[in-house]
Amino acid sequence: MVFEEKEIIYVAHPYAGKEENKERIDRIMRWLITHDKEHVYVSPINNFGMVYFEESYSEGLEICLNLLEQCDVLVLCGEWKTSKGCVGEWSFAKARNKDIYSLDEWKQSIKNRTRRRTNKVQYKYSTTRSNNSNRFKNKNRKFHGKQKCRNKDNM
């Protein structure tokens, strides 16, 4: 099996140790992973949520930023602007000129890529069909053309 190198997408979501935030990011990650095979997705909540650092928040954020450093794109989810951690991740990514998207923007880009791939397949199929149709039309034209020439020669 040959593996191609893929961009790594860091998916940030507010957490604060709340189970409902864990459930939300699980649903988001499930959607992203099943709808986009072109990227690899990581979430600090899924990677490090079991060791949430309430006492030493900066220690936990540093671990998350080390992961973000390895990623190509930051996708921000939920009410990220109200989350100290997400704002820190956004600031870190911005300072390093990483591509940054909201979840809605990123999902739209996935849908657009999927649409383009589908259109290419449909275009290829329709081109193949139209080329075959033109081949038959061209044969008929050549035949009619020869017939007309014969008629002119006979006159």
Side-chain angles (χ1 to χ4, degrees):
M1 183 182 298
V2 178
F3 291 101
E4 62 186 70
E5 192 167 323
K6 298 179 179 185
E7 284 187 318
I8 301 173
I9 313 304
Y10 184 102
V11 184
H13 189 286
Y15 182 46
K18 297 178 182 174
E19 187 59 32
E20 64 259 20
N21 286 334
K22 171 80 168 78
E23 291 169 3
R24 286 184 187 126
I25 194 65
D26 286 347
R27 283 192 303 272
I28 291 167
M29 293 296 285
R30 187 176 304 114
W31 190 94
L32 292 170
I33 290 167
T34 57
H35 286 84
D36 182 14
K37 307 294 184 202
E38 295 178 19
H39 299 94
V40 173
Y41 291 91
V42 295
S43 160
I45 295 172
N46 294 112
N47 289 17
F48 310 122
M50 73 291 296
V51 288
Y52 182 69
F53 296 92
E54 281 184 29
E55 296 82 33
S56 178
Y57 192 82
S58 61
E59 184 182 347
L61 184 58
E62 183 180 341
I63 291 170
C64 294
L65 297 179
N66 283 328
L67 176 60
L68 178 54
E69 179 67 32
Q70 306 306 312
C71 298
D72 302 291
V73 175
L74 170 62
V75 174
L76 296 159
C77 306
E79 299 296 320
W80 71 269
K81 291 178 183 176
T82 64
S83 165
K84 188 169 40 169
C86 290
V87 170
E89 291 161 332
W90 170 82
S91 177
F92 182 87
K94 187 173 178 159
R96 283 160 178 70
N97 294 317
K98 293 188 180 285
D99 292 334
I100 302 172
Y101 294 85
S102 71
L103 179 60
D104 289 339
E105 291 169 334
W106 186 253
K107 281 183 170 184
Q108 189 59 50
S109 75
I110 292 169
K111 290 173 185 176
N112 290 343
R113 282 192 307 271
T114 303
R115 236 181 261 124
R116 280 194 299 268
R117 270 196 314 270
T118 303
N119 289 342
K120 282 182 184 177
V121 170
Q122 288 173 348
Y123 175 75
K124 186 176 180 181
Y125 178 72
S126 67
T127 303
T128 304
R129 288 190 65 201
S130 65
N131 285 345
N132 288 340
S133 300
N134 287 339
R135 188 180 68 202
F136 294 120
K137 287 178 186 174
N138 289 339
K139 279 185 178 179
N140 290 338
R141 282 190 195 131
K142 287 179 185 175
F143 177 76
H144 291 300
K146 287 180 184 177
Q147 196 173 31
K148 288 180 183 176
C149 289
R150 284 186 202 145
N151 289 339
K152 285 182 182 177
D153 289 340
N154 290 338
M155 291 186 157

